[in-house]
């Protein structure tokens, strides 16, 4: 690194703690493994590096508890690699944003009588403070949303899709998560206005509702009895007038 310049880091949670990965080859390997199990030969082919180089990196990642391996299905001499850790987020100084947190805090005073305004202030301050430092915790927020989805599914469960969607609308408004509207059934999609997660965020130029995506993915998966993915198509943080989600089936592996 030149002149104290900071490079990007990927953060992974392991059984023994958080590991920060800076080496670009290792980050490339882990990016691929986040998609599922991959053979050693495929990792070598995608990296453009020598087998000995990739082998050394995989050994180091295995020692840190970030990746694991198993024998190949057709040839036990050929190893298949997979993640034994979970992706937390990234530290990318080049993606830092500028934002005046004090200005937003001053807006809170007008609504101080409403406890929800304090919760929104806390959430926004935490997330924007990390973004100011160039830290993205989107994967962590998504897993948090998935955990919450498992906990609250009973509150929206219904015998059919139409009733489930009605319950979802009521749940979102009751808990001040936003206002669900513009629902279609084929494919399942809807808009969320006044989205609690992103409506107060600065303009990021990309979708930012990772918590909602995880929450909705679990709710629709539990309701349908198969894995579903909530894909965010539009977002306030991307400059759109609302957030929109499309619910799509996850292909079975």
């Amino acid at each position: 690194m030149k002149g104290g310049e900071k490079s990007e880091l990927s953060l992974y949670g392991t059984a023994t703690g958080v590991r920060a990965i800076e080496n670009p080859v290792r980050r490339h390997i882990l990016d691929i493994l986040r998609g599922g199990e991959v053979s050693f030969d495929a990792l070598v082919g995608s990296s453009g590096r020598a087998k000995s180089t990739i082998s050394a990196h995989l050994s180091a990642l295995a020692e840190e508890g970030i990746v694991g391996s198993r024998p190949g299905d057709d040839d036990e001499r050929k190893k298949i690699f997979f993640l034994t850790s979970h992706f937390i987020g990234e530290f990318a100084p080049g993606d830092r944003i500028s934002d005046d947190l004090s200005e937003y805090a001053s807006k809170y005073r007008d609504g101080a009588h409403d406890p929800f305004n304090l919760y929104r202030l806390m959430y926004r301050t935490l997330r924007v403070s990390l973004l100011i430092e160039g830290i993205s915790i989107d994967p962590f927020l998504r897993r948090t949303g998935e955990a919450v989805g498992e906990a609250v599914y009973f509150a929206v469960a219904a015998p059919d899709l139409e009733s489930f969607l009605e319950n979802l609308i009521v749940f979102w408004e009751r808990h001040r998560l936003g206002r669900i509207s513009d629902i279609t059934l084929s494919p399942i999609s809807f808009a969320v206005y006044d989205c609690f997660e992103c409506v107060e965020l600065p303009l990021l130029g990309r979708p930012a509702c990772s918590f909602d995506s995880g929450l909705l993915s679990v709710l629709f998966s539990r309701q349908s009895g198969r894995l579903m993915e909530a894909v965010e198509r539009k977002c306030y943080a991307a400059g759109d007038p609302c957030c929109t989600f499309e619910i799509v089936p996850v292909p079975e592996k």
Side-chain angles (χ1 to χ4, degrees):
M1 294 181 288
K2 297 180 180 180
E5 179 183 355
K6 295 181 180 180
S7 62
E8 295 188 0
L9 297 173
S10 295
L11 305 177
Y12 285 82
T14 71
T16 57
V18 176
R19 299 288 183 265
I21 308 300
E22 181 179 11
N23 182 281
V25 177
R26 294 183 187 180
R27 295 181 71 213
H28 173 76
I29 291 172
L30 295 173
D31 285 346
I32 295 174
L33 291 179
R34 292 214 304 269
E37 294 185 337
V38 181
S39 69
F40 175 76
D41 290 340
L43 290 173
V44 172
S46 69
S47 68
R49 304 300 178 99
K51 288 186 176 182
S52 57
T53 299
I54 299 303
S55 179
H57 284 303
L58 286 169
S59 295
L61 291 171
E63 288 179 4
E64 293 188 28
I66 301 173
V67 304
S69 64
R70 64 173 179 81
D73 296 326
D74 300 323
D75 186 343
E76 294 188 354
R77 295 172 299 177
K78 295 182 179 295
K79 286 188 176 182
I80 303 295
F81 289 86
F82 51 87
L83 288 181
T84 55
S85 57
H86 57 272
F87 181 49
I88 296 175
E90 294 179 322
F91 172 57
D95 293 335
R96 282 177 171 162
I97 66 168
S98 59
D99 192 62
D100 188 352
L101 291 174
S102 61
E103 179 181 353
Y104 183 80
S106 66
K107 297 178 182 178
Y108 158 74
R109 298 188 187 102
D110 295 333
H113 62 281
D114 186 349
F116 182 79
N117 287 326
L118 175 62
Y119 305 147
R120 177 174 282 184
L121 172 65
M122 293 165 58
Y123 177 85
R124 182 189 188 278
T125 301
L126 172 62
R127 191 165 185 189
V128 173
S129 295
L130 291 170
L131 290 170
I132 288 173
E133 298 300 327
I135 301 173
S136 169
I137 57 170
D138 287 351
F140 173 79
L141 289 172
R142 180 183 173 86
R143 285 197 305 278
T144 303
E146 291 171 350
V148 172
E150 293 288 353
V152 305
Y153 170 66
F154 75 93
V156 294
D160 56 74
L161 178 60
E162 288 76 9
S163 300
F164 169 75
L165 290 169
E166 291 176 2
N167 291 346
L168 202 65
I169 291 171
V170 172
F171 184 89
W172 242 244
E173 291 189 4
R174 178 182 298 160
H175 294 87
R176 306 280 292 277
L177 301 178
R179 178 168 49 86
I180 294 177
S181 182
D182 307 332
I183 298 174
T184 66
L185 297 181
S186 185
I188 301 172
S189 66
F190 50 86
V192 179
Y193 294 89
D194 300 323
C195 173
F196 91 99
E197 185 170 8
C198 71
V199 71
E200 299 289 358
L201 289 181
L203 189 63
L204 303 177
R206 59 176 175 80
C209 297
S210 301
F211 176 88
D212 275 355
S213 296
L215 173 59
L216 289 167
S217 294
V218 167
L219 293 180
F220 277 91
S221 295
R222 290 289 302 275
Q223 176 64 29
S224 65
R226 62 168 299 184
L227 283 179
M228 306 292 284
E229 176 80 8
V231 181
E232 189 175 16
R233 302 297 188 190
K234 294 181 180 179
C235 184
Y236 284 107
D240 297 311
C242 64
C243 297
T244 63
F245 293 89
E246 182 177 347
I247 312 301
V248 298
V250 176
E252 295 184 4
K253 295 183 179 180

